[in-house]
Amino acid sequence: MDLYKFTIHELQDKLQAGEISSEDIVKSLFSRIADMEDKVQAFITLCEAAALKSARGIDGEGQYGGIKGIPYGLKDLFCTRGIKTTCASRMLENFVPSYESTASCRLNEKGGILLGKLNLDEFAMGSSTEQSAFFPSRNPWDWERVPGGSSGGSAAAVAAGEIPYALASDTGGSIRQPASYCGIVGLKPTYGRVSRWGVAAFASSLDQVGILSRDVRDCALILEIIAGKDPLDSTSADIEVPNYSAFLDGEVKGMRIAYPREYFRQGVAESTRAAVMKALHKFEELGAIVEEVSLPHSEYALPAYYIVAPAEASTNLARFDGVRYGLRDSEADNVADMFSSSRAQGFGPEVKRRIMLGTYALSSGYYDAYYLKALKVRRLIAQDFEKVFRDFDLIVSPTTPTTAFKLGEQIDDTLTLYLNDALTVPVNMAGLPGISIPCGLDNDALPVGMQLISWAFDEATLFKAAYAFEQNTDYHRLTPVSGGGING
Ligand code: GLN
């Protein structure tokens, strides 16, 4: 049976009905991976023997439910005990952690089965996976195009049917942007909703663990499991985790939805704008109240982000010195040379660019002019959102200005590459939750993503609205035919 076509909840129904075993699922997915992987190139590491062993163990117990017996993938930024964790960097090419991230630990405790570790832009810096030190992943909708990034391997694997879901991280759009490019669901929860412990840090005040899945129900189910206070992460919030699945009732009657005019303007492709406007009409038809608003400081989010994120990255990456982790140049004559040549060899060009930018912005004399200024802008962006959420339940926008671009098209044009995140970065700057769901295809038959944003810790409203949209449209059922895709 072609089990790669099914969502988590569909697979779980089959397990509980006794139609299939967990071993059947694992075998079916590995045969899918064998068929697809030479084109998708999503995995850095596969864990076939361990996955089969876990599946057999679970089948032996004979009890299913939730995510038990169902496979998943992890962006290779999550530390996995005894399994190589590279961050797609030469620096950590052979790094095997002795500990497990809290988020993946929670999945494993519930019987989730790890199939493998997924490709990304080095240390999650990038928008296409072309910054991976190893190889770029490809978009199952068109092999010539990028899957987005930095969680491009994770999104491509889910879209290609290699895994039903993956955990990833989002600092400025790294879950929502690839979800949008690959036509799947991608959630960045509120800052602090999910523990970041054991996830390699990029920009600690912006990073958040989230989910890539094939539908909204699956996404809600996974957040229920991974969210909540973790004593190992002091920024994880001690706020009750609701039963998100209970909000999936298909109702948006009376919901107040705002669309910020700035997010539909220049740089946004006409076909993207049209698809999201059509989706807004759908919400109206379903009884929601839809109104235009303004988020005037969002246009400054990207420049402020490219001060704050590199500043934090430059300090976070200082730990990679050739002594404690990863690659070491053992030929160097003295310790100072060893530090610098290990870092010169271990880091790729984008990571070096960020470290230089960040170190510059934090240096005395420039700190006030750049870093402090960026923090003030960040506050203004957050206040804009706060104001809108006094009158509205939800904000809707395109996830990205355009659909997936071609491999090689933007890699030499750093600023153009950065613009892919213009509509997702403000959400990280404000610490709010955002979800991207498919809402149409453009003229090249590539998926368009719609971003829903809610107030902090109100993921329930995101799920409620996203599910209602899904129930009343068929976009989430569209799968990549050109890529020999799920229905293709
Ligand atoms: N593309 C953005 C960057 O390169 C966002 C990355 C992310 O969210 N991890 O910084």
Side-chain angles (χ1 to χ4, degrees):
M1 208 186 305
D2 286 341
L3 296 175
Y4 65 83
K5 292 178 181 170
F6 299 107
T7 60
I8 304 173
H9 56 92
E10 289 165 346
L11 289 170
Q12 190 54 247
D13 289 347
K14 290 184 187 301
L15 281 173
Q16 290 185 342
E19 290 169 31
I20 55 169
S21 66
S22 173
E23 185 178 345
D24 294 335
I25 304 175
V26 171
K27 282 188 169 157
S28 173
L29 291 183
F30 273 107
S31 102
R32 178 70 176 171
I33 290 169
D35 289 345
M36 300 299 285
E37 193 54 13
D38 63 324
K39 295 205 197 76
V40 190
Q41 299 188 67
F43 285 93
I44 293 177
T45 303
L46 286 166
C47 313
E48 189 163 1
L52 275 170
K53 189 165 168 234
S54 307
R56 287 182 189 130
I58 287 168
D59 288 336
E61 288 169 30
Q63 292 266 322
Y64 302 102
I67 57 164
K68 194 162 180 188
I70 301 192
Y72 71 97
L74 271 182
K75 183 176 183 176
D76 204 16
L77 195 72
F78 288 68
C79 287
T80 38
R81 191 185 310 121
I83 300 167
K84 203 170 67 167
T85 299
T86 67
C87 299
S89 179
R90 295 275 170 226
M91 185 59 93
L92 294 176
E93 202 167 357
N94 301 308
F95 174 58
V96 179
S98 55
Y99 50 90
E100 181 85 19
S101 82
T102 296
S104 57
C105 214
R106 288 184 179 178
L107 293 181
N108 297 342
E109 277 164 8
K110 297 273 182 198
I113 300 175
L114 179 69
L115 288 202
K117 307 291 295 286
L118 294 151
N119 196 24
L120 63 149
D121 292 290
E122 186 175 0
F123 283 104
M125 298 173 191
S127 304
S128 67
T129 72
E130 292 166 290
Q131 314 279 8
S132 164
F134 307 132
F135 47 82
S137 302
R138 287 164 190 271
N139 192 320
W141 292 81
D142 177 351
W143 301 124
E144 300 293 304
R145 290 177 192 267
V146 303
S150 61
S151 315
S154 305
V158 172
E162 295 182 321
I163 39 165
Y165 74 103
L167 295 189
S169 66
D170 186 313
T171 306
S174 276
I175 288 176
R176 289 158 291 156
Q177 185 252 22
S180 168
Y181 285 4
C182 292
I184 58 170
V185 173
L187 172 77
K188 181 203 92 77
T190 311
Y191 182 77
R193 181 73 289 186
V194 181
S195 168
R196 293 180 291 114
W197 196 80
V199 183
F202 164 10
S204 310
S205 78
L206 297 159
D207 295 346
Q208 178 57 204
V209 168
I211 300 149
L212 288 150
S213 67
R214 230 172 271 147
D215 71 9
V216 173
R217 178 174 291 284
D218 279 1
C219 194
L221 171 68
I222 300 304
L223 187 64
E224 267 163 38
I225 297 170
I226 62 173
K229 180 72 187 163
D230 173 15
L232 298 173
D233 174 2
S234 61
T235 64
S236 67
D238 197 2
I239 295 177
E240 207 189 306
V241 180
N243 174 8
Y244 293 114
S245 305
F247 290 85
L248 309 180
D249 58 6
E251 275 293 330
V252 289
K253 225 189 192 91
M255 192 181 273
R256 292 157 307 167
I257 300 180
Y259 66 99
R261 67 176 72 97
E262 295 83 359
Y263 287 56
F264 289 78
R265 275 197 195 144
Q266 31 150 302
V268 176
E270 181 45 38
S271 49
T272 296
R273 205 189 62 83
V276 179
M277 283 322 262
K278 194 169 157 210
L280 282 165
H281 288 308
K282 188 70 185 180
F283 277 125
E284 231 165 17
E285 234 177 83
L286 297 174
I289 301 147
V290 176
E291 275 176 45
E292 189 183 81
V293 295
S294 174
L295 291 169
H297 296 96
S298 281
E299 69 170 299
Y300 307 110
L302 209 57
Y305 171 87
Y306 276 98
I307 298 293
V308 174
E312 295 184 20
S314 72
T315 62
N316 275 325
L317 296 179
R319 76 191 69 188
F320 298 104
D321 53 9
V323 177
R324 285 164 290 189
Y325 305 88
L327 186 135
R328 171 186 297 182
D329 177 8
S330 43
E331 314 271 277
D333 292 336
N334 57 56
V335 77
D337 286 355
M338 191 277 284
F339 287 165
S340 65
S341 79
S342 300
R343 287 167 71 79
Q345 290 169 37
F347 291 138
E350 184 61 25
V351 173
K352 286 177 184 158
R353 182 179 293 123
R354 306 277 176 122
I355 292 173
M356 283 192 281
L357 264 174
T359 312
Y360 182 82
L362 290 177
S363 56
S364 85
Y366 296 108
Y367 183 94
D368 290 0
Y370 296 109
Y371 186 68
L372 214 56
K373 185 79 143 279
L375 291 186
K376 288 178 183 166
V377 172
R378 185 174 184 177
R379 183 79 215 126
L380 292 173
I381 294 164
Q383 281 169 352
D384 281 356
F385 278 110
E386 214 175 303
K387 223 152 115 201
V388 169
F389 281 119
R390 275 184 218 140
D391 300 319
F392 292 90
D393 305 301
L394 195 71
I395 293 176
V396 168
S397 79
T399 306
T400 53
T402 65
T403 51
F405 51 92
K406 294 219 162 102
L407 280 137
E409 193 177 317
Q410 299 189 1
I411 192 69
D412 296 321
D413 184 353
T414 303
L415 291 183
T416 303
L417 202 54
Y418 288 178
L419 283 174
N420 286 291
D421 298 313
L423 310 178
T424 47
V425 155
V427 181
N428 300 71
M429 292 296 259
L432 300 177
I435 193 169
S436 179
I437 58 171
C439 75
L441 297 180
D442 73 357
N443 301 334
D444 295 324
L446 295 169
V448 177
M450 162 166 66
Q451 174 173 236
L452 316 181
I453 307 161
S454 69
W455 187 236
F457 298 100
D458 191 15
E459 284 82 359
T461 297
L462 291 186
F463 288 134
K464 190 175 166 69
Y467 184 75
F469 185 78
E470 229 181 46
Q471 289 301 294
N472 289 284
T473 56
D474 277 325
Y475 302 115
H476 66 293
R477 283 188 237 284
L478 294 175
T479 50
V481 175
S482 67
I486 297 181
N487 296 338

